[in-house]
Amino acid sequence: MITLEQKKFQEIEKMTKGYNPLLVLGCETCAAMSFAGGQRQVAELASAIRVARKTTEQKGEVLEDAVARQCEPEFVDLIADKVGGCDAVLSIACGAGVQLLAERFQDKVILPGCNTTFLGVTEELGVWSERCAGCGNCILDKTAGLCPIARCSKQLLNGPCGGSMNGKCEISKEVDCVWQLIIDRLTRLNRLEMLEEIFPVKDWSPAGHGGPRKMVREDLKS
Amino acid sequence: MTRNDLITEIEHPPCKLACPILTDVREYVQLIAERRYEEAFATIRKQSPLPRVCGRICTHPCETACKRGQVDEPIAIAALKRFASDGLWRDQYEAALPGKSTGHKVAVVGSGPAGLAAAHDLALLGHGVTIFEALPVLGGMLRVGVPEYRLPKNVVDEEIQAILDLGVEVKTGVRIGEEIKLTDLFEQGYKAVFMGIGAHRDRKLHIAGEDKLEGVVSAVSFLRGVNQAEKPRVGVKVAVIGGGNTAIDSARSALRLGAEGVHIVYRRSREEMPAAKEEIEEAAHEGVQMSYLTSPLEILGRDGKVSALKCIKNELGEPDDSGRRSPKPVPGSEFTFDVDMVIAAIGQAPDSSLVAEEIEVTEKRKRIIVDGPYTLVTTQPGVFAGGDAVTGPATVVEAISAGKRAAISIDSYLRGESPATVESAGPTETERLSSVIIEKTTKFERCVKTSLPADNRVKGFDEVEAVLSEDVAVKEALRCLHCFLGARLDKEKCISCLTCVRVCPLSIPTTSKMGEITIDPIACQACGMCALECPVRAIDISLDHRGEMSQEIEKGMAESHQPDPVIVGFFDLHGNFGSSDVESLKQDYPNILPVMVFGLRKIDTSDILKAFESGADGVFLAGCPPDTDPFAETADRVKRRMTHARTLLDAMGIDGARLEVCDMPEQGIVDKELIDGLIQRIKEAGQARSE
Ligand SMILES: Cc1cc2nc3c(=O)[nH]c(=O)nc-3n(C[C@H](O)[C@H](O)[C@H](O)COP(=O)(O)OP(=O)(O)OC[C@H]3O[C@@H](n4cnc5c(N)ncnc54)[C@H](O)[C@@H]3O)c2cc1C
Ligand code: SF4
Ligand code: SF4
């Protein structure tokens, strides 16, 4: 899933100031699963803005709504009327959602209520961690299923570096050295010899370094 | 609505389904837990015209079905019913008034619970009802069977009076079938007859000595005497033969009338004994001796009076048609013991001979034949029957149920509609909880009832059992597991985020590999954790419904005009506090709007913000002590949630110190120091803000 977290309330309050009515719009997929933008968080945030506005004697109605996914035009279009009646939309979805709203509602102010963080897994309720960098060219077959691009602080392809200490990364004792994990796992799999193959210099163009990415499936598109 | 519809319609708690009159047990138990006693009484009274009688002597099949019984012991439902029905708040209850008169006259024969219930419901339906009762007193076995020490007669009288107040007429001392036949009733203008004549004819022992010796009595006539002002004389050593409630009541009454030794002689073992377990225990506690696996062979006499009882020991053989193992005499085990009185209590049959020419009765047991349990039509058109007269000796609540069903059937008959023929669904077994859930469920001891000490009891007929005290009743009601009030998942909204699977303290929600979540409504105990944490609000629970809670706050805030800072206080109902604590809270802190919830788990940050939005200056959460909390493991999560709320409040410039979370004291509802501190902080913060 894509993980995201709500921006600090002060930042949200500042960017939404003066908009009346303001629509707080949730996204019921990744944002909800990150406890940043589902209906529960919509209710909490909208209420918080209302109370904050009241205590600072600002006027302005705050409306609430949510769609299944803000990254799909069909869902977004279903709330066109509601958006039409508002000054601004505070989207608590990932950046993709915010931008699709901006695209579909050309003359509306669209504001981001969240920071999109990473592609990751749920370790347990309330704990997520990064796993994938979306580099466009997966190498997990060569690294025992553990990604050095997403999980090595230096994105080394031929690690580890000299900073690897007792299985931890030199940037923090809290962070596992993914190269240590790779070695451990390859040892368990009895495939340590795989490390003898040296990675060539990585082509970063599929990772977006070759300009904004787009994907087209000729068989599916209209 | 029939029982059948109910079962298939939606899920109902086991206690309600087990009740023959479908009393909404769960609802009144919950209302007692919330200290809403008047409403609890209304819930009971809605189904039963004899709530105080039932609260005392109902055999409570609801308790047998109660899910809590699988965990530790069932909720003491009958005692709670008595608590709700005995309290003076019952006077506030506005009973339903009779409907518009239909002009039809209906005769109800017999004034036991079956007849009374039929009369009550028929009167409400607008029919003119006359009760014909053979005895000079009303109430059937409630008056002439069950002794005073279990069922005070003023209770019976009061409940009967309320039924008569609906305009029901009464003719006592009239035995239908004697001078007035059933056909005569129709000639007198009655359009329908309900036969609720009970089962008052004792079955005979059919042993030598039974008919000719002085000192042999039938239980029904003995108890009838016991229930009169002039009590019968009893022997010094009394044998009571039989194992039902009648036998037990005869034995306990004989003790009270001065017998020195009372023996119950029962042919099977204690397990097969039809009398209620509690009754058997009480009798033994009072000093009644039990001789199980014993059958009487002969009553021996001297000078025309009973002198001894000859018996034989039995062993248990194959099950008979009643499913109980039948006793087989052990050859050579005969023995004799001295007694000077024998009470025969081996069952009763309806006294139906007087009407047997007009309606058909069964050959052996003389029970009135009806066509089905919902129509209750006899072989004579316009004549209906129910209660012990049809089933043989049964229970009060079954008799009430029959009376109520008969009223519906008679009503459709009078309106010319064909009575619905619905078969009963048969016994519904309570679904078993898994051992994991049983293990994870917090155990709470069942209340102990207070009763007279045994020595005092046998001196007279004072009521043995006392009504529960308010605090005990509330605590008992809080043991309820809230069957079917729990999590309901809206599959359309569910995004398979797995939060419910992760937060449930009982591990009830499960998922398929495609993310389809299932929440077992039978196992769920409505703790509310999943409903609250669900990020897309796909789960709803009926207990402490969110919508209702925020309405309550809004309404309360709108009505509050306090000079002091206004505080919304959420209190966990599971705390160790009494009504007096609630009262003094209201008096000492009129500025606190109390919101009582079944657990602080149900309060989300947004509820706290809602309170501020509605104008509160502060919010207070008081949790129950851990040993009274059914889901103590969730307390930490609640605290962390509140830390999040406080951080948000700070960020909003509202000062998180306006939100206080604390545990209630061991006893009582709040720690005054804490509240005063909060009020002080709010006052200061309030000033700081307006500067
Ligand atoms: C000693 C004893 C203890 C019991 N304890 C319990 C208990 O703890 N819990 C429980 O649930 N149940 C108990 N029962 C059973 C319960 O009392 C009966 O099941 C219930 O009263 C049956 O109600 P009914 O209306 O069918 O008949 P009854 O209560 O028997 O009433 C029938 C009425 O009809 C009258 N009658 C009969 N023939 C005629 C006629 N021809 N004309 C006019 N009137 C007539 C009778 O005089 C009587 O008043 C007990 C019964 C007895 C005897
Ligand atoms: S636990 Fe409560 S709702 Fe469930 S059967 Fe028992 S009394 Fe009824
Ligand atoms: S309400 Fe509580 S007990 Fe029921 S499924 Fe949800 S978390 Fe579990």
Short mmCIF file of all heavy atoms in Angstrom, two decimals, chain A residues 9-10 13 28-29 32-33 35 38-41 43-52 54-55 64 122 124-125, chain B residues 495 497 499 502-503 532-537 604-606 609-610 612-613 615 637 641 644 648 651-652 654 689:
data_model
loop_
_atom_site.label_atom_id
_atom_site.label_comp_id
_atom_site.label_asym_id
_atom_site.label_seq_id
_atom_site.Cartn_x
_atom_site.Cartn_y
_atom_site.Cartn_z
N PHE A 9 -1.36 19.85 12.30
CA PHE A 9 -2.60 20.61 12.28
C PHE A 9 -2.37 22.09 12.00
O PHE A 9 -3.12 22.73 11.25
CB PHE A 9 -3.38 20.43 13.59
CG PHE A 9 -4.71 21.11 13.55
CD1 PHE A 9 -5.77 20.57 12.83
CD2 PHE A 9 -4.88 22.34 14.16
CE1 PHE A 9 -6.97 21.23 12.73
CE2 PHE A 9 -6.10 23.01 14.07
CZ PHE A 9 -7.15 22.45 13.36
N GLN A 10 -1.31 22.63 12.60
CA GLN A 10 -1.06 24.07 12.39
C GLN A 10 -0.90 24.39 10.91
O GLN A 10 -1.41 25.41 10.43
CB GLN A 10 0.23 24.51 13.13
CG GLN A 10 0.08 24.55 14.64
CD GLN A 10 0.57 23.27 15.29
OE1 GLN A 10 0.51 22.19 14.68
NE2 GLN A 10 1.04 23.36 16.53
N GLU A 13 -4.27 24.22 9.28
CA GLU A 13 -5.10 25.36 9.67
C GLU A 13 -4.72 26.60 8.87
O GLU A 13 -5.58 27.33 8.38
CB GLU A 13 -4.92 25.62 11.16
CG GLU A 13 -6.07 26.44 11.73
CD GLU A 13 -5.76 26.94 13.13
OE1 GLU A 13 -4.62 26.77 13.61
OE2 GLU A 13 -6.68 27.51 13.73
N GLU A 28 -10.87 6.52 0.70
CA GLU A 28 -11.15 5.33 1.50
C GLU A 28 -10.28 4.12 1.17
O GLU A 28 -10.67 3.00 1.43
CB GLU A 28 -12.63 4.95 1.35
CG GLU A 28 -13.59 6.05 1.75
CD GLU A 28 -13.96 5.98 3.22
OE1 GLU A 28 -13.15 6.44 4.04
OE2 GLU A 28 -15.03 5.47 3.53
N THR A 29 -9.13 4.33 0.57
CA THR A 29 -8.29 3.16 0.33
C THR A 29 -6.97 3.31 1.11
O THR A 29 -6.99 3.15 2.33
CB THR A 29 -8.08 2.91 -1.17
OG1 THR A 29 -9.38 2.93 -1.80
CG2 THR A 29 -7.47 1.55 -1.45
N ALA A 32 -7.08 5.71 4.05
CA ALA A 32 -7.84 5.17 5.18
C ALA A 32 -7.00 4.15 5.93
O ALA A 32 -6.94 4.15 7.16
CB ALA A 32 -9.14 4.55 4.69
N MET A 33 -6.33 3.28 5.16
CA MET A 33 -5.54 2.23 5.80
C MET A 33 -4.35 2.80 6.55
O MET A 33 -3.82 2.18 7.45
CB MET A 33 -5.10 1.20 4.77
CG MET A 33 -6.32 0.50 4.19
SD MET A 33 -6.03 -1.06 3.40
CE MET A 33 -4.80 -0.73 2.25
N PHE A 35 -4.70 5.42 8.34
CA PHE A 35 -5.35 6.22 9.38
C PHE A 35 -5.04 7.70 9.20
O PHE A 35 -4.73 8.42 10.15
CB PHE A 35 -4.94 5.74 10.78
CG PHE A 35 -5.51 4.37 11.07
CD1 PHE A 35 -4.88 3.23 10.60
CD2 PHE A 35 -6.70 4.24 11.76
CE1 PHE A 35 -5.42 1.98 10.81
CE2 PHE A 35 -7.25 2.98 11.99
CZ PHE A 35 -6.61 1.85 11.51
N GLY A 38 -9.36 8.27 6.01
CA GLY A 38 -10.65 7.60 5.92
C GLY A 38 -11.74 8.44 6.60
O GLY A 38 -11.45 9.51 7.13
N GLN A 39 -12.96 7.94 6.56
CA GLN A 39 -14.06 8.73 7.12
C GLN A 39 -13.85 9.11 8.57
O GLN A 39 -14.28 10.18 9.02
CB GLN A 39 -15.36 7.95 6.98
CG GLN A 39 -15.96 8.14 5.61
CD GLN A 39 -17.38 7.62 5.56
OE1 GLN A 39 -18.11 7.66 6.54
NE2 GLN A 39 -17.77 7.13 4.41
N ARG A 40 -13.21 8.21 9.31
CA ARG A 40 -12.99 8.52 10.72
C ARG A 40 -12.10 9.75 10.86
O ARG A 40 -12.36 10.64 11.66
CB ARG A 40 -12.35 7.31 11.39
CG ARG A 40 -12.06 7.52 12.85
CD ARG A 40 -11.49 6.25 13.46
NE ARG A 40 -11.04 6.49 14.80
CZ ARG A 40 -10.01 5.87 15.36
NH1 ARG A 40 -9.34 4.96 14.67
NH2 ARG A 40 -9.67 6.13 16.59
N GLN A 41 -11.04 9.80 10.03
CA GLN A 41 -10.13 10.93 10.11
C GLN A 41 -10.77 12.19 9.52
O GLN A 41 -10.48 13.29 9.97
CB GLN A 41 -8.81 10.61 9.42
CG GLN A 41 -7.72 10.17 10.39
CD GLN A 41 -8.05 8.89 11.13
OE1 GLN A 41 -8.55 7.96 10.53
NE2 GLN A 41 -7.78 8.86 12.42
N ALA A 43 -13.87 12.99 9.88
CA ALA A 43 -14.69 13.53 10.95
C ALA A 43 -13.82 14.25 11.99
O ALA A 43 -14.16 15.34 12.44
CB ALA A 43 -15.47 12.41 11.62
N GLU A 44 -12.69 13.62 12.30
CA GLU A 44 -11.82 14.21 13.32
C GLU A 44 -11.24 15.55 12.85
O GLU A 44 -11.30 16.55 13.55
CB GLU A 44 -10.69 13.21 13.62
CG GLU A 44 -9.75 13.67 14.71
CD GLU A 44 -8.66 12.62 14.96
OE1 GLU A 44 -9.01 11.48 15.32
OE2 GLU A 44 -7.48 12.94 14.78
N LEU A 45 -10.73 15.54 11.61
CA LEU A 45 -10.06 16.74 11.12
C LEU A 45 -11.06 17.88 10.91
O LEU A 45 -10.80 19.03 11.29
CB LEU A 45 -9.33 16.41 9.80
CG LEU A 45 -8.50 17.54 9.20
CD1 LEU A 45 -7.47 18.04 10.20
CD2 LEU A 45 -7.78 17.06 7.92
N ALA A 46 -12.22 17.54 10.33
CA ALA A 46 -13.22 18.57 10.08
C ALA A 46 -13.64 19.20 11.40
O ALA A 46 -13.78 20.42 11.53
CB ALA A 46 -14.42 17.99 9.35
N SER A 47 -13.85 18.34 12.39
CA SER A 47 -14.26 18.83 13.69
C SER A 47 -13.18 19.72 14.30
O SER A 47 -13.47 20.78 14.86
CB SER A 47 -14.53 17.61 14.58
OG SER A 47 -15.32 17.95 15.65
N ALA A 48 -11.93 19.28 14.15
CA ALA A 48 -10.83 20.06 14.70
C ALA A 48 -10.76 21.44 14.04
O ALA A 48 -10.58 22.46 14.72
CB ALA A 48 -9.51 19.31 14.50
N ILE A 49 -10.94 21.48 12.72
CA ILE A 49 -10.90 22.78 12.03
C ILE A 49 -12.04 23.67 12.52
O ILE A 49 -11.86 24.85 12.80
CB ILE A 49 -10.97 22.60 10.49
CG1 ILE A 49 -9.75 21.80 10.01
CG2 ILE A 49 -11.03 23.96 9.79
CD1 ILE A 49 -9.80 21.40 8.54
N ARG A 50 -13.21 23.05 12.65
CA ARG A 50 -14.37 23.82 13.12
C ARG A 50 -14.11 24.43 14.49
O ARG A 50 -14.34 25.62 14.71
CB ARG A 50 -15.58 22.89 13.23
CG ARG A 50 -16.46 22.94 12.01
CD ARG A 50 -17.67 22.03 12.21
NE ARG A 50 -17.79 21.17 11.06
CZ ARG A 50 -17.77 19.85 11.09
NH1 ARG A 50 -17.66 19.19 12.22
NH2 ARG A 50 -17.89 19.17 9.98
N VAL A 51 -13.61 23.57 15.40
CA VAL A 51 -13.39 24.08 16.76
C VAL A 51 -12.32 25.16 16.74
O VAL A 51 -12.46 26.21 17.37
CB VAL A 51 -12.97 22.94 17.71
CG1 VAL A 51 -12.72 23.47 19.11
CG2 VAL A 51 -14.04 21.86 17.75
N ALA A 52 -11.25 24.92 15.98
CA ALA A 52 -10.17 25.92 15.91
C ALA A 52 -10.69 27.22 15.34
O ALA A 52 -10.37 28.31 15.83
CB ALA A 52 -9.02 25.38 15.07
N LYS A 54 -13.72 28.28 15.52
CA LYS A 54 -14.61 28.89 16.50
C LYS A 54 -13.81 29.62 17.58
O LYS A 54 -14.16 30.74 17.94
CB LYS A 54 -15.45 27.78 17.15
CG LYS A 54 -16.73 28.27 17.77
CD LYS A 54 -17.61 27.09 18.16
CE LYS A 54 -18.35 27.37 19.44
NZ LYS A 54 -18.96 26.18 19.98
N THR A 55 -12.76 28.97 18.07
CA THR A 55 -12.02 29.61 19.16
C THR A 55 -11.27 30.84 18.69
O THR A 55 -10.99 31.72 19.48
CB THR A 55 -11.02 28.64 19.83
OG1 THR A 55 -10.29 28.01 18.79
CG2 THR A 55 -11.71 27.59 20.66
N GLU A 64 -17.90 17.64 5.10
CA GLU A 64 -17.15 16.38 5.10
C GLU A 64 -17.64 15.47 3.99
O GLU A 64 -18.83 15.41 3.71
CB GLU A 64 -17.37 15.63 6.43
CG GLU A 64 -17.06 16.44 7.65
CD GLU A 64 -17.47 15.74 8.95
OE1 GLU A 64 -17.61 14.51 8.95
OE2 GLU A 64 -17.66 16.46 9.95
N THR A 122 2.37 -3.15 6.45
CA THR A 122 1.94 -2.95 7.83
C THR A 122 2.72 -3.96 8.66
O THR A 122 2.63 -5.16 8.42
CB THR A 122 0.44 -3.26 7.97
OG1 THR A 122 -0.27 -2.55 6.97
CG2 THR A 122 -0.07 -2.90 9.34
N GLU A 124 2.45 -3.99 12.08
CA GLU A 124 1.36 -4.31 12.99
C GLU A 124 0.46 -3.09 12.98
O GLU A 124 0.82 -2.08 12.37
CB GLU A 124 1.88 -4.58 14.40
CG GLU A 124 2.63 -3.40 14.98
CD GLU A 124 2.98 -3.55 16.44
OE1 GLU A 124 2.09 -3.35 17.28
OE2 GLU A 124 4.14 -3.89 16.72
N LEU A 125 -0.68 -3.17 13.65
CA LEU A 125 -1.58 -2.03 13.63
C LEU A 125 -0.82 -0.78 14.10
O LEU A 125 -0.20 -0.78 15.15
CB LEU A 125 -2.78 -2.28 14.55
CG LEU A 125 -3.84 -1.18 14.53
CD1 LEU A 125 -4.47 -1.02 13.17
CD2 LEU A 125 -4.90 -1.43 15.57
N ILE B 495 -13.08 -1.98 3.63
CA ILE B 495 -11.95 -1.94 2.68
C ILE B 495 -10.92 -3.01 3.04
O ILE B 495 -9.77 -2.94 2.61
CB ILE B 495 -11.28 -0.56 2.64
CG1 ILE B 495 -10.83 -0.14 4.06
CG2 ILE B 495 -12.21 0.49 2.05
CD1 ILE B 495 -9.84 1.00 4.08
N CYS B 497 -9.19 -3.52 5.63
CA CYS B 497 -7.95 -2.97 6.19
C CYS B 497 -7.44 -3.80 7.35
O CYS B 497 -6.32 -3.61 7.80
CB CYS B 497 -8.17 -1.54 6.65
SG CYS B 497 -9.14 -1.43 8.15
N THR B 499 -8.24 -3.76 10.43
CA THR B 499 -8.16 -3.14 11.76
C THR B 499 -8.99 -3.91 12.79
O THR B 499 -8.54 -4.17 13.89
CB THR B 499 -8.65 -1.68 11.67
OG1 THR B 499 -7.88 -1.03 10.67
CG2 THR B 499 -8.48 -0.96 12.99
N ARG B 502 -7.41 -6.87 14.04
CA ARG B 502 -6.26 -6.59 14.90
C ARG B 502 -6.63 -6.05 16.27
O ARG B 502 -5.87 -6.20 17.21
CB ARG B 502 -5.33 -5.60 14.19
CG ARG B 502 -4.64 -6.23 13.00
CD ARG B 502 -3.95 -5.20 12.14
NE ARG B 502 -3.31 -5.85 11.00
CZ ARG B 502 -3.10 -5.25 9.83
NH1 ARG B 502 -3.46 -4.00 9.65
NH2 ARG B 502 -2.52 -5.91 8.85
N VAL B 503 -7.77 -5.36 16.37
CA VAL B 503 -8.05 -4.73 17.67
C VAL B 503 -8.99 -5.54 18.56
O VAL B 503 -9.07 -5.27 19.75
CB VAL B 503 -8.65 -3.31 17.54
CG1 VAL B 503 -7.65 -2.36 16.94
CG2 VAL B 503 -9.96 -3.34 16.77
N LEU B 532 -15.07 1.55 16.63
CA LEU B 532 -14.43 2.84 16.78
C LEU B 532 -13.18 2.96 15.93
O LEU B 532 -12.96 3.96 15.25
CB LEU B 532 -14.08 3.08 18.24
CG LEU B 532 -13.55 4.50 18.39
CD1 LEU B 532 -14.32 5.24 19.42
CD2 LEU B 532 -12.09 4.49 18.64
N GLU B 533 -12.36 1.93 15.94
CA GLU B 533 -11.08 2.05 15.23
C GLU B 533 -11.21 1.93 13.72
O GLU B 533 -10.32 2.35 12.99
CB GLU B 533 -10.07 1.02 15.74
CG GLU B 533 -9.72 1.15 17.23
CD GLU B 533 -8.78 2.32 17.55
OE1 GLU B 533 -8.58 3.18 16.69
OE2 GLU B 533 -8.26 2.35 18.68
N CYS B 534 -12.28 1.34 13.24
CA CYS B 534 -12.44 1.17 11.79
C CYS B 534 -12.26 2.51 11.09
O CYS B 534 -12.97 3.47 11.36
CB CYS B 534 -13.82 0.61 11.46
SG CYS B 534 -14.13 0.59 9.69
N PRO B 535 -11.28 2.64 10.18
CA PRO B 535 -10.99 3.94 9.60
C PRO B 535 -12.06 4.43 8.63
O PRO B 535 -12.11 5.61 8.32
CB PRO B 535 -9.66 3.72 8.87
CG PRO B 535 -9.59 2.26 8.60
CD PRO B 535 -10.33 1.60 9.72
N VAL B 536 -12.91 3.52 8.15
CA VAL B 536 -13.93 3.97 7.19
C VAL B 536 -15.34 3.87 7.77
O VAL B 536 -16.32 4.00 7.06
CB VAL B 536 -13.84 3.20 5.85
CG1 VAL B 536 -12.56 3.54 5.13
CG2 VAL B 536 -13.96 1.70 6.06
N ARG B 537 -15.42 3.65 9.10
CA ARG B 537 -16.71 3.58 9.78
C ARG B 537 -17.65 2.57 9.11
O ARG B 537 -18.81 2.85 8.85
CB ARG B 537 -17.39 4.95 9.81
CG ARG B 537 -16.60 6.02 10.53
CD ARG B 537 -17.15 6.23 11.93
NE ARG B 537 -16.21 6.84 12.84
CZ ARG B 537 -16.20 8.14 13.16
NH1 ARG B 537 -17.06 8.95 12.60
NH2 ARG B 537 -15.34 8.59 14.03
N ASP B 604 -14.12 8.39 20.80
CA ASP B 604 -13.06 8.70 19.85
C ASP B 604 -12.65 10.17 19.99
O ASP B 604 -13.39 10.97 20.56
CB ASP B 604 -13.56 8.43 18.42
CG ASP B 604 -12.39 8.30 17.44
OD1 ASP B 604 -11.23 8.39 17.88
OD2 ASP B 604 -12.65 8.09 16.24
N THR B 605 -11.51 10.49 19.41
CA THR B 605 -11.07 11.88 19.41
C THR B 605 -12.16 12.78 18.85
O THR B 605 -12.42 13.86 19.37
CB THR B 605 -9.81 12.03 18.52
OG1 THR B 605 -8.88 11.05 18.96
CG2 THR B 605 -9.21 13.39 18.64
N SER B 606 -12.84 12.30 17.80
CA SER B 606 -13.85 13.15 17.19
C SER B 606 -15.01 13.40 18.16
O SER B 606 -15.65 14.45 18.10
CB SER B 606 -14.36 12.54 15.89
OG SER B 606 -14.85 11.26 16.12
N LEU B 609 -13.82 16.20 20.27
CA LEU B 609 -13.90 17.46 19.50
C LEU B 609 -15.35 17.91 19.37
O LEU B 609 -15.64 19.09 19.46
CB LEU B 609 -13.26 17.26 18.12
CG LEU B 609 -11.76 16.96 18.16
CD1 LEU B 609 -11.25 16.64 16.76
CD2 LEU B 609 -10.98 18.14 18.74
N LYS B 610 -16.24 16.94 19.18
CA LYS B 610 -17.68 17.26 19.09
C LYS B 610 -18.14 17.98 20.35
O LYS B 610 -18.92 18.94 20.29
CB LYS B 610 -18.50 15.98 18.91
CG LYS B 610 -18.73 15.60 17.45
CD LYS B 610 -20.13 16.04 17.00
CE LYS B 610 -20.12 16.43 15.53
NZ LYS B 610 -19.67 15.36 14.62
N PHE B 612 -16.32 19.78 22.35
CA PHE B 612 -15.83 21.16 22.30
C PHE B 612 -16.62 21.98 21.28
O PHE B 612 -16.93 23.14 21.50
CB PHE B 612 -14.33 21.20 21.98
CG PHE B 612 -13.46 20.83 23.16
CD1 PHE B 612 -12.79 19.62 23.19
CD2 PHE B 612 -13.35 21.69 24.24
CE1 PHE B 612 -12.00 19.27 24.28
CE2 PHE B 612 -12.55 21.36 25.34
CZ PHE B 612 -11.88 20.14 25.36
N GLU B 613 -16.93 21.32 20.17
CA GLU B 613 -17.69 22.00 19.12
C GLU B 613 -19.05 22.45 19.65
O GLU B 613 -19.53 23.52 19.30
CB GLU B 613 -17.88 21.01 17.96
CG GLU B 613 -17.89 21.65 16.59
CD GLU B 613 -18.01 20.60 15.49
OE1 GLU B 613 -17.31 19.58 15.54
OE2 GLU B 613 -18.83 20.81 14.59
N GLY B 615 -19.66 23.40 22.48
CA GLY B 615 -19.53 24.47 23.44
C GLY B 615 -18.91 24.09 24.78
O GLY B 615 -18.86 24.92 25.69
N ARG B 637 -4.95 1.24 25.36
CA ARG B 637 -5.22 1.80 24.03
C ARG B 637 -6.06 3.08 24.17
O ARG B 637 -5.83 4.07 23.47
CB ARG B 637 -5.96 0.75 23.20
CG ARG B 637 -6.06 1.07 21.73
CD ARG B 637 -6.72 -0.07 20.99
NE ARG B 637 -5.80 -1.14 20.65
CZ ARG B 637 -4.92 -1.09 19.64
NH1 ARG B 637 -4.85 -0.03 18.87
NH2 ARG B 637 -4.15 -2.11 19.37
N ARG B 641 -5.03 6.76 22.94
CA ARG B 641 -5.90 7.52 22.03
C ARG B 641 -6.10 8.93 22.58
O ARG B 641 -6.12 9.91 21.85
CB ARG B 641 -7.24 6.79 21.95
CG ARG B 641 -8.08 7.18 20.78
CD ARG B 641 -9.44 6.55 20.90
NE ARG B 641 -9.46 5.12 20.59
CZ ARG B 641 -10.37 4.27 21.09
NH1 ARG B 641 -11.31 4.71 21.91
NH2 ARG B 641 -10.36 3.02 20.74
N HIS B 644 -3.20 11.19 21.93
CA HIS B 644 -3.31 11.72 20.57
C HIS B 644 -4.27 12.91 20.55
O HIS B 644 -3.99 13.95 19.96
CB HIS B 644 -3.78 10.61 19.63
CG HIS B 644 -4.31 11.08 18.31
ND1 HIS B 644 -3.48 11.45 17.28
CD2 HIS B 644 -5.57 11.28 17.87
CE1 HIS B 644 -4.22 11.84 16.25
NE2 HIS B 644 -5.50 11.74 16.59
N LEU B 648 -3.53 16.88 19.59
CA LEU B 648 -4.29 17.60 18.57
C LEU B 648 -4.88 18.88 19.17
O LEU B 648 -4.83 19.95 18.56
CB LEU B 648 -5.39 16.68 18.01
CG LEU B 648 -6.26 17.25 16.91
CD1 LEU B 648 -5.42 17.69 15.71
CD2 LEU B 648 -7.29 16.23 16.43
N ALA B 651 -2.34 21.47 19.36
CA ALA B 651 -2.06 22.02 18.04
C ALA B 651 -3.17 22.97 17.60
O ALA B 651 -2.94 23.91 16.84
CB ALA B 651 -1.90 20.89 17.03
N MET B 652 -4.37 22.70 18.09
CA MET B 652 -5.49 23.55 17.71
C MET B 652 -5.51 24.82 18.54
O MET B 652 -6.40 25.66 18.37
CB MET B 652 -6.81 22.80 17.93
CG MET B 652 -7.04 21.67 16.94
SD MET B 652 -8.24 20.48 17.59
CE MET B 652 -9.63 21.54 17.87
N ILE B 654 -6.05 24.86 21.80
CA ILE B 654 -7.12 24.75 22.77
C ILE B 654 -6.59 24.31 24.12
O ILE B 654 -7.31 24.27 25.08
CB ILE B 654 -8.15 23.74 22.22
CG1 ILE B 654 -9.00 24.50 21.24
CG2 ILE B 654 -8.97 23.11 23.29
CD1 ILE B 654 -10.38 24.07 21.20
N ARG B 689 -6.87 32.40 26.92
CA ARG B 689 -7.32 32.43 25.54
C ARG B 689 -7.96 33.77 25.17
O ARG B 689 -7.77 34.28 24.08
CB ARG B 689 -8.31 31.30 25.32
CG ARG B 689 -8.46 30.92 23.89
CD ARG B 689 -9.03 29.53 23.73
NE ARG B 689 -9.94 29.20 24.80
CZ ARG B 689 -11.24 29.03 24.64
NH1 ARG B 689 -11.78 29.21 23.47
NH2 ARG B 689 -12.00 28.70 25.65
#
